[in-house]
Every structure is written in C-alpha cells, then in structure tokens.
Amino acid sequence: MTTFHPCFLIPCYNHGETVPAVIDSLAPYGFPIIVVDDGSKASTQRILSEQSKRDNVTIITLSKNQGKGGAVTAGIYQAYKQCFSHAIQIDADGQHNLDALPKLITESQTHLTALISGQPVYDESVPKSRLYGRYATHIWVWIETLSFTIKDSMCGFRSYPIGRTINILERNRLGKRMAFDTEIMVRMYWDDCDIRFIDTKVIYPEGGISHFDALWDNVKISAMHTRLFFGMLPRIPKLLKRKPSQQQHWSSHTERGTIIGIKALLAVYALLGRSAFNLLLKAVMAYYYLTGKKARKASEEYLNQLSKYAQQQNITLPAKISSYNHLLSFGHTMLDKLAAWRGDVSEKNLTIHGQEHFDGIVEQQRGVVIIGSHLGNLELCRALSRRHTHIKINALVFTEHAERFNAVMKAVNPKSDLNLIQVSTLGPDTAILLQQKIEQGEWIVIVGDRTSVTKEQRVVWANFLGQPAPFPQGPFMLAAVLKAPVYLLFGLRDDNQKTPHFDVYFEPFSEQIKLPRGQREEALTQVVNQYAHRLEHYTMKAPLQWYNFFNFWQLSGKDNDK
C-alpha cells in the first residue's frame, strides 16, 4: 500500500437528528462518506435519504438491526469494494470532538498499515458507571495482549487500514454488537498490526441516545473476553517476544501508565470488591514478576541485603520473604492507597501508635512538617485526619505530573483534602509558599528516602540495613528553613489480619531542625542518620512493604541535569 485514499464511515442506528451535523463537520475534508443505516426507524431513514442527495455521501441500508459491529463490518466491506485504503470511523451521535480529526488523519497517512484510534479524554458529562466499566475492559485487554500497548479498545473514533482489517474479518467470526470494537483491536494486535493512539475529547450530550444494553451487552462482552483469553494462551510465546512499535519518551510512559493504572485498579475494586481484586492481582503480579526484570532484580538485591543484615543482627524474618511476594505486597498497597483516597479507610481500620502526639497538634492547630517514606502506605495520614475536617494536608512532590494526580484523586473522591504541590527545586519561592501554609496551621508532607532527579549528588550518606546509602538533603534542609516541628509517619499493613488493618506510627522527630552555619554539614549528617535509623527500624517490622525498586545503596552515576 503506497497511497492514502480514505473514506469516512458512520454507523447509524436511529441517530437521524445528529447525522446531518456530523456530515456537515466532515464536508471540509473532501473525503467520501459512507453511512450505514443499521435498520433504523422510518424517521431516521427519511433523514438519511435526504443526506444521500449530497455529493460524496453513500447510504448503505441493512434490513435488520445487526449492532454496531455489524454496521461497521458492512461499511468496511463497502469501502473495500470501492477501493478505499482506509475507513475513518466516526460515531453518528456527535460524541467525538472532531478537533482531533486532523491529527488522526495525519497519523493514518504517516503510518499507512497501522490502526489509529482515539484515546478518550472525558469531561464531567461521562457517566461514572461507564467510565469505570471501561477500565475493567482495559485490564482484560492488557491480559489478552500481554501488553499495555492498547490504551483504549472501546473508542469508536479510529482509522482502519482496509487491507489488514479485511484479513481479520475473513479469518474470524467477530461479534456484531458493542464488543466488536475491542475484539477487532485485540485480534489486529495478535496479527502484528501496529496500533497507535491520539487523545480525543469525548462528551456525552444531554439527552443523547445510547444503545448499550447493560445486561445483554455485558454478557456478550464477558463471552468475548473469555474467547480472547483462551485465544491468548497459545500465543503467549509470540506475544512475549513482540516489541512495542510506538516509542514514547519515558516521562510520557510514566505519566500515562500511572494514571491508567490508578483508574484501572479503582474500576476493578469498585466493581468487583477487594476479594476479586486480590485474585486478579496474584495473576497480574505473577506475569509482572516473570517479565519485569528490572523490578525483580532490584527486589532481589534489596532482599539479599535485608537477609544479610537480619543474620548479622540475629533477627528472624517472616517465612514468606521472596521477590514475588515483595511485588505482590506492592500491588496490595496500591489498592490500600485507592481505598484511602476513596475514604474507605477510617479510624476503625487503624491502630494508632502516637495518638497523643497527633491530638496535641490538632488541638494547638499547629502547622507541621511530616517526613514519610516509600515504606508502607503514606496515604493513611488521610484516614488519621478524617475526623478533623479543618486539617489541610499538602504533599510535596518533585514531578511534573502533580496536576494530573490531583485530578485523579478528585475523580476518586471529590472531597479529597490532599493537595499535591509540584516543585522542581527547593528555591526561595517554594520556601515562602510552604511557610505561609505552616503559619495557617497546614501540614506539609514530604518523603525523605529518594534522591533528587536533577540534583542527585546532593546527598548525605547514612547507614541503612548494614550498608551506607544516599539520602537526599532537600527534605531536611527544607524542614530547617520552615522552622516547624517535624514528625515521622509510617503506615504499615498488618498482613496477619483477615480484614484490612494498619498500624500507623506517628512520632516526633524534632521540635525544630537546626543547621548552624559553622556546623551545617555535621548537623545535617546527624539528622539524616537519625531518620535512616528510624526508617530501618520500621522496615524490619514490615520488610516486604519496602517499595524502592532500584538499587537503593548506589547513585546512578549521572551528572546533575541542566
């Protein structure tokens, strides 16, 4: 295929009132338009008959309603007969914001043999049940492809390469209704088709028509996923060897992967409950254990160091210390974080050690600095403060994605009182902002166990689990500048309980960290060593809840980024 000769394909079932406007919006592109009437009522048929008089508009009429998949299939075969190279599918109900259409066309023209699909960006009009249901499908698709390549398999805004699509349709008997969009995308991925995505805004118009049957369509979607799952099994060797063809910058993967992962976990938890989530988690983490070489290696390095230290100190470790259980514990903690954000974790789920310190801060309405870590679940501080609605918690993060994380937490729980503050450096502006929050009685939360991405060499080496490790200077220097009381917070899951339960340790660290000019380096070293000692203490209480999946005892060796 060397030319790009596309047509627009619009499946239509009783959307007569919206189709003319959709055709109007497509007219400037000059491509032929195929509308498939999927057994619509007479009123829609009359409107479509009028539209057929327009230049470049062809109406294909199906005598009986076959469903969206049936209509799209009929349209693709018609496009094939007319020798079009691509069919650009547009829904007839006006859900898709066509501002993204030029980019979709450009991508399809650039990657002629690829399936190009929209990746929905929803506004507030989207029904939450539909939104969460989509993420349940996303998880199944990731399992069926053993890949995160398919970002969204349900969007009807896409460009099909006709030749490759016809090959799939002729070799497989695909469902004709709502499951079609997902099934054909998975099967095209199995057939080594390149699948690419562009962001597209999707709205749910007030009074819009939906043909989704909550009972039967879900039954058919479940049957489809069952077929695809068993179809995936003999393809496992081939799928594991496949390399992603759409390369992105690592920061883009991190951002998008995290947001999708959070929403997907939320969907499974909300729809199926914790027990079903835990069963699925075991399978997902087994796959991740087998394929995630870097995380597995980092876990094994940590567990080896942990075992050496425990042996030196005559400490007995839990029996189930293994890399797989370490990764599985991380998965459980991700659910715990979601539960905390949703408000599903309350004081009844907690045993609080240091309640008197917490009550004293609340009573005095003092602003404090809380230093946490990547041990356990720091989000439990929300459950700790839920009965005191006036407390404002600010989490300081060194990332460019704070805005998106804020948006996700608001979607999980609109009453969320956790605010993420993005900082690139701890400069004067940041210090002034945080000082104001401290004076207003707000809490500042920051982790003290990860070195800066841009200032990696600014560390203090402190002994941790029997070996020197680099700790960042920034959190402790910031606490000194703010001149506020500093507390440590560790939230550890009690894995011996059948129901979710956590031990929260809230302890004073320093009434005020002081770094005298002439003795600044010595004082900072003493403070960091004190923190490392307490982190080590709590790590030994729950060693599998340590979630720094990199070589913690080494720097990367890279120079500071400019």
Side-chain angles (χ1 to χ4, degrees), residues 184-444:
I184 193 167
M185 185 173 280
V186 169
R187 291 190 179 277
M188 291 185 77
Y189 180 86
W190 286 354
D191 201 45
D192 291 328
C193 181
D194 184 11
I195 300 178
R196 294 171 175 263
F197 292 86
I198 63 166
D199 288 340
T200 179
K201 294 182 180 178
V202 177
I203 61 173
Y204 280 74
E206 187 174 350
I209 300 174
S210 173
H211 299 302
F212 187 84
D213 187 312
L215 175 59
W216 290 111
D217 279 324
N218 274 320
V219 168
K220 291 172 182 177
I221 288 173
S222 297
M224 172 203 66
H225 284 307
T226 300
R227 292 195 307 272
L228 292 178
F229 176 79
F230 285 105
M232 173 271 295
L233 295 178
R235 294 178 170 88
I236 288 178
K238 179 182 177 182
L239 292 173
L240 291 178
K241 291 179 181 179
R242 177 168 175 171
K243 296 180 179 180
S245 56
Q246 187 171 3
Q247 300 295 331
Q248 294 176 318
H249 188 266
W250 70 267
S251 60
S252 175
H253 278 295
T254 300
E255 175 181 330
R256 179 166 289 178
T258 302
I259 300 299
I260 289 176
I262 288 172
K263 289 185 175 181
L265 285 170
L266 175 63
V268 174
Y269 172 56
L271 293 172
L272 304 178
R274 183 179 285 265
S275 297
F277 174 92
N278 288 340
L279 289 175
L280 179 61
L281 181 66
K282 290 182 179 180
V284 172
M285 282 304 173
Y287 165 71
Y288 185 60
Y289 172 78
L290 294 174
T291 61
K293 294 181 179 179
K294 290 185 178 180
R296 185 176 70 243
K297 181 180 178 182
S299 172
E300 290 170 349
E301 289 173 345
Y302 159 70
L303 294 177
N304 287 336
Q305 185 63 38
L306 174 76
S307 298
K308 291 179 183 177
Y309 178 75
Q311 187 175 8
Q312 293 170 359
Q313 302 296 319
N314 293 320
I315 298 173
T316 302
L317 294 173
K320 296 182 179 180
I321 293 290
S322 69
S323 182
Y324 168 73
N325 284 322
H326 189 196
L327 295 172
L328 184 62
S329 174
F330 175 68
H332 284 300
T333 295
M334 286 302 298
L335 175 59
D336 296 337
K337 291 175 184 286
L338 286 173
W341 287 342
R342 278 171 54 97
D344 294 348
V345 177
S346 65
E347 283 191 298
K348 68 180 181 181
N349 301 107
L350 310 178
T351 297
I352 303 171
H353 307 266
Q355 178 77 59
E356 67 279 9
H357 305 302
F358 176 79
D359 291 340
I361 296 172
V362 172
E363 184 178 348
Q364 298 173 34
Q365 298 186 359
R366 301 181 72 184
V368 299
V369 175
I370 296 177
I371 300 181
S373 67
H374 291 85
L375 173 70
N377 185 358
L378 189 59
E379 278 76 9
L380 292 173
C381 63
R382 293 194 64 251
L384 190 64
S385 64
R386 186 158 294 115
R387 67 179 180 180
H388 304 283
T389 57
H390 64 279
I391 292 179
K392 181 69 174 293
I393 304 172
N394 303 278
L396 201 63
V397 292
F398 293 87
T399 174
E400 296 180 356
H401 310 314
E403 183 177 347
R404 282 183 178 261
F405 275 103
N406 260 325
V408 169
M409 282 190 287
K410 291 298 181 184
V412 174
N413 183 356
K415 298 180 180 179
S416 173
D417 51 6
L418 179 62
N419 179 49
L420 278 95
I421 301 175
Q422 175 220 335
V423 295
S424 55
T425 58
L426 293 177
D429 292 345
T430 302
I432 292 173
L433 170 66
L434 299 180
Q435 186 64 58
Q436 291 173 346
K437 293 185 176 297
I438 290 291
E439 292 172 355
Q440 294 167 3
E442 299 182 17
W443 295 8
I444 306 296

Side-chain angles (χ1 to χ4, degrees), residues 67-73 76 89 153 158 160 165 169 174-186 221 224:
K68 182 180 179 180
V72 172
T73 298
I76 289 174
Q89 180 184 334
S153 65
R158 53 179 65 174
Y160 288 102
T165 307
L169 293 175
L174 276 64
K176 292 187 176 182
R177 296 196 175 273
M178 292 297 182
F180 174 84
D181 287 339
T182 296
E183 184 171 10
I184 193 167
M185 185 173 280
V186 169
I221 288 173
M224 172 203 66

Side-chain angles (χ1 to χ4, degrees), residues 422-540:
Q422 175 220 335
V423 295
S424 55
T425 58
L426 293 177
D429 292 345
T430 302
I432 292 173
L433 170 66
L434 299 180
Q435 186 64 58
Q436 291 173 346
K437 293 185 176 297
I438 290 291
E439 292 172 355
Q440 294 167 3
E442 299 182 17
W443 295 8
I444 306 296
V445 180
I446 187 170
V447 295
D449 61 341
R450 283 194 182 171
T451 56
S452 169
V453 173
T454 59
K455 303 293 182 183
E456 189 187 43
Q457 301 300 323
R458 295 184 179 180
V459 299
V460 174
W461 291 83
N463 202 52
F464 180 72
L465 296 181
Q467 186 173 334
F471 287 83
Q473 298 177 358
F476 307 96
M477 294 177 65
L478 175 65
V481 170
L482 295 178
K483 299 179 180 179
V486 181
Y487 288 78
L488 302 183
L489 179 66
F490 300 94
L492 306 179
R493 183 177 58 255
D494 185 350
D495 289 325
N496 293 319
Q497 301 281 354
K498 293 184 178 179
T499 57
H501 195 83
F502 308 89
D503 287 297
V504 176
Y505 299 90
F506 191 83
E507 64 178 50
F509 183 70
S510 175
E511 183 61 27
Q512 181 181 332
I513 294 178
K514 296 181 180 180
L515 304 175
R517 282 193 177 182
Q519 302 174 327
R520 176 179 169 181
E521 185 174 345
E522 294 83 353
L524 185 59
T525 299
Q526 182 178 356
V527 169
V528 173
N529 272 277
Q530 180 185 350
Y531 170 78
H533 176 70
R534 299 309 295 160
L535 179 62
E536 179 181 271
H537 170 78
Y538 288 108
T539 299
M540 297 308 296

